[in-house]
């Protein structure tokens, strides 16, 4: 792996730890441990790694290399460009599938990078068949069926149509038949079993191939949902796959921002854009070098933490900065350059998401491009 290929999409310019306004630490050892935990839960069933969106914002190449070191040899990305990058990093051996399918006309680019297509429609199937003919060899594809999410995959009528066409799969090596669950994080919801039964019905019409249904949360729905291959993403990155229960995964991410300056604020002072906060009694404030351009939602009402002390946000989140109330700390305890924590032992990704009115997936994939990124194994 050379330096250029190791750079994630979000790391086009590396910023030093000294120069950076914020530091993102990714524990690749924790990702590997999470992969092992999911594998253990799956028994002998295969476990792919979903590394779309630049490895959920954490660095697709780094994450994929860590998973490959655990023996993961099937990867899913969402876009062709992510697959091309991953192929450069992982070499020729692992299978890489493009979940959104190949955009019309881009089939030869996918063939060149040895990417497998996820076939979501009759149109994508025909285009892949034509690509196989042009390439003069069989091409790998996972056939996705819509078992009830109404998002991607062939609808029942399309499955019936291709099932009736003896030439439909000419030149195509169907490596998986797959579908995706809409409500896997609600284990008691009947939609899960309904989708599973519909998946069963649809896959019986297609060429016999290994089956794949479960994402992270789907793995925790139990053995009937496991089939031949699970496709976890979120749980690998420490997001709780079972929101109603204690998180069975290890945390993976730590995000710390630097204090730019501190000040005392007198009664009556207005803070930040729109002065949505007015000081009612004198307080100490610190401005940190992280804002909504770094993925911290403008609407977030949360806190940063310093040595287990929560430091609430004051006023609006700006593009590049946030003002904190640091009155709970001893005077002059916090100085320019000190780090406060936004994600880490004091505040999990899921908790941070809760304060921002969103989910951990969006927090991670929103993480900005201006951080100094540290990749570690243990000891965040
Ligand atoms: C994103 C995605 C996954 C991974 O889902 P997680 O909830 O992150 O585990 C699996 N399959 C498909 C089709 C996806 O789009």
């Amino acid at each position: 792996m050379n330096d250029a290929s190791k750079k994630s999409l979000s790391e086009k310019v590396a910023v030093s730890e000294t120069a950076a306004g914020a530091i993102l630490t990714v524990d690749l050892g924790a990702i590997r441990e999470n992969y092992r935990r999911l594998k253990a839960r799956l028994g002998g069933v295969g476990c792919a790694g979903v590394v779309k969106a630049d490895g959920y914002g954490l660095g697709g190449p780094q994450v994929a290399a860590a998973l490959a070191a655990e023996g993961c040899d099937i990867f899913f990305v969402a876009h062709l460009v992510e697959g091309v990058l991953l192929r450069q990093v992982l070499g020729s051996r692992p299978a890489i599938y493009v979940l959104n399918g190949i955009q019309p006309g881009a089939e030869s680019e996918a063939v060149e990078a040895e990417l497998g297509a996820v076939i979501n429609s009759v149109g994508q199937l025909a285009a892949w068949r034509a690509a196989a003919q042009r390439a003069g060899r069989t091409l790998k594809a996972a056939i996705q069926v819509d078992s009830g999410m109404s998002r991607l995959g062939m609808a029942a009528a399309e499955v019936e149509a291709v099932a009736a066409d003896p030439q439909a799969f000419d030149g195509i090596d169907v490596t998986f038949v797959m579908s995706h669950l809409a409500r896997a994080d609600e284990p008691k919801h009947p939609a899960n079993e309904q989708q599973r039964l519909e998946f069963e019905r649809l896959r019986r019409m297609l060429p016999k191939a290994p089956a794949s249904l479960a994402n992270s949360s789907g793995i925790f729905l139990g053995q009937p949902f496991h089939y031949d291959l699970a496709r976890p993403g979120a749980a690998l990155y420490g997001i709780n796959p079972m929101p109603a229960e204690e998180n069975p995964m290890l945390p993976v991410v730590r995000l710390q921002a630097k204090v730019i300056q501190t000040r005392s604020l007198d009664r009556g002072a207005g803070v930040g854009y729109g002065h949505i906060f007015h000081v009612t009694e004198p307080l100490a404030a610190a401005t940190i070098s992280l804002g909504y351009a770094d993925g911290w939602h403008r609407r977030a009402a949360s806190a940063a933490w310093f040595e287990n002390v929560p430091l609430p946000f004051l006023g609006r989140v700006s593009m590049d900065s946030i003002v904190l109330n640091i009155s709970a700390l001893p005077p002059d305890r916090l100085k320019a350059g000190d780090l406060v924590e936004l994600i880490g032992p004091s505040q999990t990704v899921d908790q941070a998401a809760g304060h921002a009115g969103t989910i951990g997936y969006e927090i991670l994939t929103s993480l900005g491009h201006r951080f100094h990124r540290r990749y570690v194994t243990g000891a965040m």
Side-chain angles (χ1 to χ4, degrees):
M1 224 190 299
N2 63 37
D3 276 359
S5 68
K6 218 180 165 182
K7 262 189 197 140
S8 71
L9 286 174
S10 55
E11 205 186 344
K12 294 186 188 91
V13 178
V15 56
S16 75
E17 191 159 338
T18 311
I23 294 166
L24 181 74
T25 307
V26 178
D27 185 349
L28 296 174
I31 293 177
R32 291 177 64 162
E33 168 63 18
N34 286 339
Y35 183 78
R36 290 194 293 270
R37 287 183 186 184
L38 295 175
K39 276 209 77 133
R41 198 164 273 272
L42 286 164
V45 164
C47 190
V50 179
V51 295
K52 60 193 180 187
D54 198 26
Y56 287 50
L58 305 185
Q62 289 86 346
V63 166
L67 293 173
E70 278 306 316
C72 179
D73 58 2
I74 302 179
F75 294 87
F76 288 89
V77 294
H79 289 234
L80 184 131
V81 64
E82 298 174 326
V84 170
L85 176 66
L86 208 56
R87 181 58 79 209
Q88 288 170 11
V89 172
L90 294 176
S92 60
R93 217 177 56 84
I96 303 172
Y97 291 93
V98 180
L99 286 166
N100 281 6
I102 310 303
Q103 297 297 329
E107 291 79 12
S108 57
E109 289 179 54
V111 172
E112 203 174 315
E114 298 282 344
L115 303 178
V118 173
I119 303 287
N120 293 302
S121 66
V122 171
Q124 286 187 349
L125 182 62
W128 202 234
R129 211 165 45 225
Q133 198 163 26
R134 282 197 305 277
R137 60 186 172 91
T138 59
L139 297 179
K140 285 185 182 169
I143 309 297
Q144 178 150 238
V145 298
D146 177 17
S147 58
M149 188 173 179
S150 315
R151 185 182 73 171
L152 285 173
M154 291 190 200
E158 285 188 285
V159 175
E160 281 159 24
V162 298
D165 175 0
Q167 266 101 56
F169 296 96
D170 280 359
I172 295 178
D173 173 15
V174 180
T175 48
F176 292 100
V177 174
M178 59 177 276
S179 191
H180 193 48
L181 296 165
R183 310 188 73 155
D185 58 344
E186 301 169 75
K188 298 209 165 58
H189 201 282
N192 292 312
E193 182 63 5
Q194 281 164 15
Q195 279 201 260
R196 197 184 71 77
L197 294 175
E198 179 66 357
F199 179 55
E200 284 287 332
R201 187 179 81 83
L202 296 177
R203 85 185 179 97
R204 274 199 295 272
M205 295 184 228
L206 291 169
K208 214 170 156 48
S212 176
L213 181 61
N215 64 339
S216 298
S217 299
I219 293 170
F220 294 84
L221 294 176
Q223 193 270 332
F225 288 82
H226 291 172
Y227 291 99
D228 303 300
L229 181 77
R231 306 184 310 271
L236 296 171
Y237 311 113
I239 291 171
N240 189 353
M242 295 191 298
E245 290 174 46
E246 202 182 319
N247 192 348
M249 314 316 297
L250 279 185
V252 166
V253 178
R254 185 165 196 192
L255 177 62
Q256 298 159 292
K258 284 184 192 164
V259 172
I260 306 170
Q261 62 175 191
T262 58
R263 70 181 72 245
S264 317
L265 295 176
D266 295 329
R267 187 171 298 126
V271 179
Y273 286 119
H275 281 173
I276 62 165
F277 179 82
H278 279 97
V279 177
T280 52
E281 53 189 296
L283 59 79
T287 304
I288 59 170
S289 186
L290 180 138
Y292 62 74
D294 302 294
W296 218 263
H297 296 249
R298 185 168 179 267
R299 64 180 174 275
S302 43
W305 295 71
F306 185 77
E307 291 176 349
N308 298 318
V309 179
L311 309 173
F313 290 8
L314 292 176
R316 284 211 170 108
V317 172
S318 293
M319 185 186 291
D320 315 297
S321 57
I322 300 172
V323 181
L324 305 176
N325 184 347
I326 61 166
S327 304
L329 295 172
D332 300 326
R333 180 67 192 81
L334 211 53
K335 298 180 300 300
D338 284 346
L339 291 167
V340 299
E341 181 182 296
L342 288 128
I343 300 172
S346 304
Q347 178 163 261
T348 67
V349 173
D350 294 302
Q351 286 166 339
H355 293 307
T358 182
I359 54 174
Y361 294 69
E362 196 184 14
I363 294 287
L364 293 188
T365 57
S366 301
L367 289 173
H369 307 268
R370 307 190 289 192
F371 305 138
H372 173 74
R373 289 178 173 235
R374 293 170 56 214
Y375 290 91
V376 301
T377 298
M380 276 204 288

